[in-house]
Amino acid sequence: MKSILSSVYRTLFIVGTTAVVALAQTTNVTLSGTVKEAKNKVFLPFVNVTLLTPSDSAFVTGAITSEEGLFTLAGVKPGNYLLKTTYIGYRTRLQPVLVGQLSEFLNVGTLELTEEVAQLSEVVVTAGPEAVAGTMDKKTFTVGENISQAGGSALEAMKNLPGVTVGEDGQIQLRGSKQVMVLIDGKQTALTGFGGQSGLENIPASAIDRVEIINNPSAKFDANGNAGIINIIYKKEKKEGFNGKVGLAAAVGALWEKQANYPTIRPQYRNTPKINPSLSLNYRKNKVNLFFQGDNLYTQTLNKNEFADRFYNDGTVVRQQLKRNRNTNIVTGKAGIDWFVDAANTVTVSGLFSSEKITDRGDQPFFDGTLSERLRLWQFLEDELKTTVTASANWQHKFKQPGRLLNAGFNYTFHREDEKYFFTNILPTYTGQDSFKLLSDENVADLTVDYVQPLPYGRLETGVKFRRRWIPTNMQFFPGLNSPLDVDAGGAATYREWIPALYGNYLIETKRVEVEAGLRVEYVDLQYEVNPNHNTYKSDGYRYGQPFPTLRLAYKLNDNNRLSLFYTRRVDRPNEVDIRIFPKYDDAEIIKVGNPGLRPQFTSSYELGYKTNWNGGYLYSAAYHKAMQATITRISSIVPGSTLIYNIFQNAGRSRLSGVELILSQRFAKWATVNLNLNGYRNTIDAFSVVNLYPVRNTFSAERQQLFSGNVKVNGLFHLGGKLDAQFTAIYLAPDLVPQGRIDSRFSIDVGLKKAIQKGKGELFINATDIANTLRIRREVQGDGFRYVSTDYYETQVVRVGYGYKF
């Protein structure tokens, strides 16, 4: 198998010339300015302002100044122009103008006309949005163009995007790091997590318009997340009148067994059904725009099917299987109103509701090393309900000068986690019945104010943000006969967080050079109040005030080639679940526990990028380096005399991640485009020593770990005629580091077909993920006094069909 994967890797590397990328470029820019009389400094109305091409003075666009002397030129494409200003009785003014790629709105300043001979003065103006072709810090992908993942979840829709991988715990990684901040419509919500990401597998892709990947966020974004930001943009039409889209997708997974169960346990899920109806509505008339997006996603999934062999230094061997049959139903609705009060003011009010019901039926048998004797059978039923409610209000004021904006917003999120576990602990001599209940209420309130000022050479951005977050939790244990649960580790705990932040960002562009410099200052006050009767942990918390500078320098070699240099400083604060003091028993003998003594991880990132375009293709490449302090990781340890393994979060000292990313795209014909994404990096964790407090005090030491890893993604898009499109995606993930060990290579192929019908209003699709059924996760972990090897044969192969209709 390894030789096959190695051959595939080499083939993909040679064949590869590109990755699935839909580059979002805004090609239209708005220029504005004012015209005054030079001597008396009064505004001049009805002045003719025209934009011409410098080679032949051909007319591009024009306008007449208002009574206040203000003019606006909209729909200008980036390039070099001549700005011509004419008025009866005054000298014609002619000057060169550069429209760049940094801002959608640019202010050329005040133009003065005089009866005297005009002196030409050079004014350099810039424009354009953040995108790979320009600033190289953001890539944008339209979910509707991702045919091979249509009808799936947000997690599935993103796994074949450049630089994105899905880690062994089902979390998104950017360039080998899962410290990713996930936003919805530019805001953090409990639906995707305020600290570590969550819930992406339960957001229907049908609700998403596009996904933005920001590897080097500017200072206007929160400093959390060293890997960068993924921004999920929900669908929202803005057409006049009534319009919308209705869709239905159905699927089946786990078409055959990858690995048969150990004896004496309940069957694993096979031929799992999934269904996703969706509805998008929009109504716009006069000053009001109403919008709604609703989805219901029901899935059955073989969520986990992990076989693990544990070997202890005293010769003990334990072989186990952890199988989870999961039923999930999530209902999501987002609705709101845009009220265009007048030409200068817009108010938007929206709300989001999500209800996620999860039922897990798990079996975990434990055998001796020869599988001849079952030592124990741990069965459980998880009954969990997650409820999320988000309310947002935003006011935008547009000044007379185009692009000069003031935004003020308030966002509140409530997220309830109501989780119940019922355990049956079957041993040769008795059977015990145990259970616990966890109730967690997350409350987050954000107040933001942002201001944008266009400048003659760029723009200025500044703003403030205040966050108040509090999460009361309560864990109650209900032990049965000879209970293995640590009932003294329960009780109440409350997480409180207060974060005020201030930022400023300045952008400037000349004909060859772009500079974007910013500074964000954040103060964090975190308090964690723990049940005083807890057997191990006491109340803890931390405070800090830190600056987080950002810098981007770009040099334009010519119209088709540019270099960019980035520097950012970011932080990864422990999420509430990372410091949660309660042991989690969904795995009965490899137990996860939080650590309230966990501290933030700070990261300095450096990147050098290069972008070149040619007819029908482009090449984007980047070399990056991240240096982490107080690296957050899980540590596995055992208690002397016991075979139980405890996974506890710790700060493990310094680590580094250095790599190279390559995106190559080529259109070979009008009907065929192939993309390649290569990402290779070296992951290093320095030697460290930490003290684990739970369940008893012990010291863990680890030597320096280092491994070269990466991934290859090849994607082909084909327009086959008859409005039929096809896509294939092949992904190879090289071996990589995990805490105290490594994860083996993984490989999968996805395919899809899409056909437009009903004069383009309708759409049919069919796709299949992991068609060779090769994707599985194998890990090796080496601890102090033990080692274990595990392979997870979870469900990866899914066949979907769907239909959508726009009206």
Side-chain angles (χ1 to χ4, degrees), residues 269 299-301 303 324-328 358-360 382:
Y269 267 172
T299 64
Q300 288 186 13
T301 311
N303 178 257
R324 279 204 303 257
N325 291 334
R326 173 168 290 185
N327 290 39
T328 303
I358 300 173
T359 304
D360 271 355
E382 177 189 7

Side-chain angles (χ1 to χ4, degrees), residues 96 129 291 545 662:
F291 55 90
L662 176 71

Side-chain angles (χ1 to χ4, degrees), residues 238-301:
K238 293 186 178 180
K239 299 177 183 177
E240 285 291 335
F242 180 73
N243 55 83
K245 182 177 181 179
V246 60
L248 178 65
V252 61
L255 302 181
W256 63 72
E257 282 187 351
K258 290 183 180 180
Q259 180 69 28
N261 285 341
Y262 281 158
T264 72
I265 70 171
R266 294 170 291 186
Q268 59 184 261
Y269 267 172
R270 286 280 308 278
N271 300 316
T272 53
K274 309 159 200 305
I275 188 166
N276 175 209
S278 62
L279 177 64
S280 178
L281 299 174
N282 199 88
Y283 178 73
R284 179 168 183 172
K285 186 174 182 180
N286 299 327
K287 294 185 176 183
V288 174
N289 182 62
L290 301 171
F291 55 90
F292 169 80
Q293 173 69 41
D295 290 85
N296 185 81
L297 177 63
Y298 172 79
T299 64
Q300 288 186 13
T301 311

Side-chain angles (χ1 to χ4, degrees), residues 131-276:
V132 170
T135 58
M136 290 190 280
D137 63 345
K138 182 172 75 172
K139 315 175 193 71
T140 303
F141 309 92
T142 302
V143 172
E145 297 177 359
N146 195 350
I147 305 171
S148 64
Q149 297 293 339
S153 68
L155 184 71
E156 292 163 328
M158 286 190 279
K159 76 174 188 179
N160 60 2
L161 301 183
V164 176
T165 57
V166 179
E168 49 93 18
D169 53 359
Q171 289 192 309
I172 286 291
Q173 295 182 347
L174 285 179
R175 293 175 174 176
S177 173
K178 66 181 180 182
Q179 304 294 346
V180 181
M181 183 167 67
V182 180
L183 310 179
I184 293 181
D185 292 332
K187 302 180 181 68
Q188 287 181 284
T189 75
L191 204 60
T192 54
F194 283 89
Q197 54 177 295
S198 64
L200 291 175
E201 72 276 13
N202 291 322
I203 298 178
S206 58
I208 302 172
D209 177 40
R210 62 190 186 275
V211 175
E212 298 175 340
I213 298 176
I214 307 172
N215 293 115
N216 298 281
S218 70
K220 66 181 179 181
F221 292 100
D222 289 350
N224 205 36
N226 81 71
I229 292 172
I230 291 179
N231 186 22
I232 298 172
I233 309 297
Y234 264 61
K235 291 179 178 177
K236 179 182 176 183
E237 292 286 350
K238 293 186 178 180
K239 299 177 183 177
E240 285 291 335
F242 180 73
N243 55 83
K245 182 177 181 179
V246 60
L248 178 65
V252 61
L255 302 181
W256 63 72
E257 282 187 351
K258 290 183 180 180
Q259 180 69 28
N261 285 341
Y262 281 158
T264 72
I265 70 171
R266 294 170 291 186
Q268 59 184 261
Y269 267 172
R270 286 280 308 278
N271 300 316
T272 53
K274 309 159 200 305
I275 188 166
N276 175 209

Side-chain angles (χ1 to χ4, degrees), residues 391-458:
S392 299
N394 186 79
W395 167 62
Q396 181 181 85
H397 177 72
K398 296 180 180 179
F399 295 85
K400 289 185 178 181
Q401 176 189 349
R404 185 183 175 197
L405 301 173
L406 176 66
N407 286 290
F410 178 77
N411 189 68
Y412 172 75
T413 291
F414 171 79
H415 176 75
R416 167 163 287 182
E417 180 183 353
D418 188 351
E419 185 177 358
K420 304 179 185 71
Y421 269 87
F422 303 92
F423 304 107
T424 303
N425 186 28
I426 305 172
L427 281 89
T429 57
Y430 70 90
T431 297
Q433 300 286 336
D434 304 274
S435 63
F436 74 73
K437 178 179 180 180
L438 172 68
L439 186 64
S440 171
D441 288 341
E442 182 170 19
N443 303 266
V444 186
D446 287 335
L447 177 64
T448 58
V449 179
D450 300 283
Y451 175 74
V452 180
Q453 172 68 60
L455 302 172
Y457 302 93

Side-chain angles (χ1 to χ4, degrees), residues 106-119:
L106 294 173
N107 179 21
V108 300
T110 300
L111 308 180
E112 294 187 350
L113 296 184
T114 178
E115 296 178 344
E116 302 296 329
V117 178
Q119 296 181 355

Side-chain angles (χ1 to χ4, degrees), residues 348-632:
T348 299
V349 178
S350 65
L352 182 146
F353 172 81
S354 174
S355 177
E356 179 184 352
K357 177 69 173 179
I358 300 173
T359 304
D360 271 355
R361 292 174 176 86
D363 293 79
Q364 190 172 27
F366 301 90
F367 292 85
D368 63 3
T370 62
L371 292 177
S372 59
E373 179 185 0
R374 193 184 77 185
L375 308 175
R376 178 187 183 195
L377 175 59
W378 181 256
Q379 293 184 322
F380 62 85
L381 169 64
E382 177 189 7
D383 183 2
E384 183 174 10
L385 179 63
K386 296 181 180 179
T387 305
T388 303
V389 179
T390 297
S392 299
N394 186 79
W395 167 62
Q396 181 181 85
H397 177 72
K398 296 180 180 179
F399 295 85
K400 289 185 178 181
Q401 176 189 349
R404 185 183 175 197
L405 301 173
L406 176 66
N407 286 290
F410 178 77
N411 189 68
Y412 172 75
T413 291
F414 171 79
H415 176 75
R416 167 163 287 182
E417 180 183 353
D418 188 351
E419 185 177 358
K420 304 179 185 71
Y421 269 87
F422 303 92
F423 304 107
T424 303
N425 186 28
I426 305 172
L427 281 89
T429 57
Y430 70 90
T431 297
Q433 300 286 336
D434 304 274
S435 63
F436 74 73
K437 178 179 180 180
L438 172 68
L439 186 64
S440 171
D441 288 341
E442 182 170 19
N443 303 266
V444 186
D446 287 335
L447 177 64
T448 58
V449 179
D450 300 283
Y451 175 74
V452 180
Q453 172 68 60
L455 302 172
Y457 302 93
R459 70 176 182 269
L460 174 67
E461 303 169 333
T462 187
V464 295
K465 179 176 181 177
F466 299 92
R467 166 169 292 172
R468 180 72 172 129
R469 184 175 177 220
W470 64 103
I471 311 173
T473 58
N474 193 2
M475 171 77 88
Q476 300 177 50
F477 287 105
F478 304 96
L481 180 65
N482 297 323
S483 175
L485 306 183
D486 184 359
V487 296
D488 293 329
T494 302
Y495 177 104
R496 303 180 190 275
E497 186 180 56
W498 165 250
I499 307 177
L502 172 68
Y503 77 90
N505 208 40
Y506 179 67
L507 299 92
I508 185 172
E509 180 180 12
T510 66
K511 186 175 182 180
R512 293 290 185 187
V513 178
E514 300 170 2
V515 179
E516 181 176 358
L519 178 65
R520 187 179 189 90
V521 179
E522 291 185 349
Y523 175 78
V524 175
D525 183 354
L526 186 142
Q527 301 173 13
Y528 192 57
E529 301 170 4
V530 176
N531 169 21
N533 297 321
H534 192 277
N535 57 15
T536 302
Y537 294 119
K538 305 302 178 186
S539 294
D540 214 333
Y542 57 82
R543 297 180 180 86
Y544 70 79
Q546 292 277 348
F548 296 96
T550 63
L551 177 66
R552 183 182 65 85
L553 303 174
Y555 181 74
K556 293 175 280 187
L557 303 172
N558 51 45
D559 290 341
N560 294 321
N561 296 273
R562 70 169 56 206
L563 291 168
S564 286
L565 178 66
F566 299 88
Y567 168 75
T568 60
R569 183 174 187 264
R570 298 183 66 77
V571 62
D572 292 287
R573 295 184 294 272
N575 197 28
E576 186 269 335
V577 295
D578 300 336
I579 68 176
R580 190 176 286 179
I581 59 176
F582 317 121
K584 189 173 177 63
Y585 290 100
D586 53 355
D587 189 314
E589 297 194 3
I590 304 179
I591 303 168
K592 295 179 180 178
V593 186
N595 177 9
L598 208 58
R599 294 296 180 264
Q601 166 185 302
F602 294 93
T603 301
S604 293
S605 299
Y606 309 84
E607 179 175 331
L608 177 64
Y610 170 69
K611 178 77 168 53
T612 183
N613 297 293
W614 59 84
N615 186 28
Y618 68 89
L619 170 68
Y620 163 75
S621 59
Y624 56 89
H625 175 75
K626 296 179 182 293
M628 282 75 74
Q629 296 178 331
T631 304
I632 296 176

